[in-house]
């Protein structure tokens, strides 16, 4: 398989040497690496040119827009390759990362997308230590059910699905890899023909956080007849180590952060509707009423903004 790795990057000149080094150390080298770079004045371009020597790489300049638009640019730049792998600019791929994804897709012909395990990495004194501890604090999602979390018809056999309200629903499943839409942008891969022409830019035009863009890619793959999975068995999973002790540009705090998170939750229904999903407006209203509890001052205006925009 011809593999193309996409790294979207902004204000990460300090982290890029680590992620690039992990790609140069792969058991199976990438066919191409695409850096979608939004200039920030931190000399990331120079860092890439110095560190990526020996790799077949391309720098795509993103002059405006958000991370969903950056991902779309990356997909377009990889159109000649079979498999697109996504790695965060502040994450390190395990040595057999590409090899594991290639093996998974070769064994599972119906798979259009997959996501591997994300562990923690700690940066101290310019040295990264890898820790086999889940980055997100847990490896399995809490069971989430109810009328507003009924799966869309095409996801009736999934363990983690998109619901008729636009929210994510989950149940416990025991398997090496589970049918799921809950992929992680820091560590995921798609067959190119499963996600090409997925309209991320249009779906996330007004978004600041681009929450759940991975799920929208999963739905685009599903519409084309592909399945998506989380690979949870440690021996089979392509592993990535995400630097955990440095401030994130996307995981923020404060009223603005809460507003835009709620906006994306509220907008997912409308995004799925635009993609042709059989969503249910009553279930959507129930869902918004439930998740708006606790902070109505922020969540109600954010929900209304999502509806009118």
């Amino acid at each position: 398989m011809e593999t193309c790795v996409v790294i979207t990057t902004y204000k990460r000149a300090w982290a890029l040497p680590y992620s690039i080094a992990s790609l140069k150390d792969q058991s199976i080298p990438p066919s191409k690496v695409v850096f979608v770079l939004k200039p920030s004045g931190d000399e990331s371009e120079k860092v890439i040119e110095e560190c990526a020597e020996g790799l077949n790489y391309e720098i795509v300049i993103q002059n405006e827009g958000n991370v969903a638009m950056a991902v779309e640019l990356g997909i377009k730049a990889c159109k000649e390759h079979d498999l697109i792998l996504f790695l965060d600019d502040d994450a390190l791929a395990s040595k057999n990362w590409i090899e594991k994804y290639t093996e998974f897709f070769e064994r599972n012909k119906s798979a259009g997308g997959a996501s591997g395990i994300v562990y923690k990495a700690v940066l101290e004194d310019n040295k990264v230590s890898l820790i086999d501890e889940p980055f997100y604090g847990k490896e399995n999602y809490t069971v989430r059910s109810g009328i507003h979390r009924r799966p869309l018809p095409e996801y009736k056999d999934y363990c983690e699905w998109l619901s008729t309200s636009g929210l994510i629903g989950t149940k416990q499943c025991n398997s090496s890899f589970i049918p799921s839409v809950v992929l992680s942008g820091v560590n995921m891969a798609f067959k190119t023909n499963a996600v090409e022409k997925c309209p991320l830019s249009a779906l996330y035009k007004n978004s600041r956080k681009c929450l759940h863009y991975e799920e929208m890619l999963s739905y685009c793959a599903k519409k084309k007849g592909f399945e998506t999975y989380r690979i949870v068995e440690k021996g089979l999973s392509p592993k990535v180590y995400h630097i955990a002790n440095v401030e994130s540009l996307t995981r923020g705090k404060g009223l603005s952060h809460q507003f835009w998170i709620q906006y994306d939750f509220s907008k997912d229904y409308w995004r799925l509707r635009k993609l042709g999903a059989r969503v249910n407006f009553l279930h959507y209203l129930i869902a918004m009423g439930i998740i708006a509890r606790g902070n109505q001052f922020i969540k109600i205006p954010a929900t209304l903004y999502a509806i009118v925009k």
Side-chain angles (χ1 to χ4, degrees), residues 66-124:
N66 53 32
V67 68
M69 297 176 188
V71 169
E72 189 172 287
L73 287 172
I75 292 172
K76 290 178 180 178
C78 292
K79 63 182 179 180
E80 302 299 328
H81 296 75
D82 303 306
L83 201 61
I84 307 173
L85 294 79
F86 293 90
L87 179 70
D88 267 15
D89 53 4
D90 57 350
L92 295 80
S94 57
K95 186 178 180 66
N96 58 5
W97 183 62
I98 293 175
E99 181 181 354
K100 290 288 188 182
Y101 270 126
T102 302
E103 290 175 350
F104 176 81
F105 283 99
E106 287 178 343
R107 288 196 306 265
N108 300 280
K109 302 301 183 182
S110 66
S115 192
I117 296 173
V118 181
Y119 288 127
K120 289 182 180 179
V122 175
L123 177 63
E124 292 180 337

Side-chain angles (χ1 to χ4, degrees), residues 65-69 71 203-215 247-265 267-268 271:
N66 53 32
V67 68
M69 297 176 188
V71 169
L203 295 174
Y204 285 88
K205 181 179 179 181
N206 299 306
S207 177
R208 302 283 181 88
K209 301 293 182 179
C210 296
L211 195 68
H212 299 153
Y213 78 84
E214 302 97 331
E215 282 78 356
E247 184 178 358
S248 169
L249 296 175
T250 56
R251 297 185 303 276
K253 298 178 181 179
L255 296 180
S256 176
H257 173 76
Q258 295 175 41
F259 179 93
W260 288 109
I261 290 294
Q262 177 64 26
Y263 169 83
D264 275 332
F265 270 104
K267 198 68 178 178
D268 282 346
R271 291 170 181 142

Side-chain angles (χ1 to χ4, degrees), residues 3-56:
T3 58
C4 184
V5 177
V6 173
I7 297 179
T8 63
T9 185
Y10 177 64
K11 292 185 177 181
R12 282 287 189 269
W14 62 267
L16 283 167
Y18 304 106
S19 58
I20 293 172
S22 74
L23 294 179
K24 296 176 77 170
D25 194 40
Q26 289 294 299
S27 57
I28 297 178
S31 305
K32 181 180 179 180
V33 181
V34 173
F35 298 93
V36 183
L37 171 67
K38 191 172 185 180
S40 63
D42 70 347
E43 297 189 337
S44 288
E45 300 94 325
K46 183 179 179 181
V47 171
I48 293 170
E49 291 169 358
E50 291 177 349
C51 295
E53 185 178 358
L55 292 172
N56 176 28

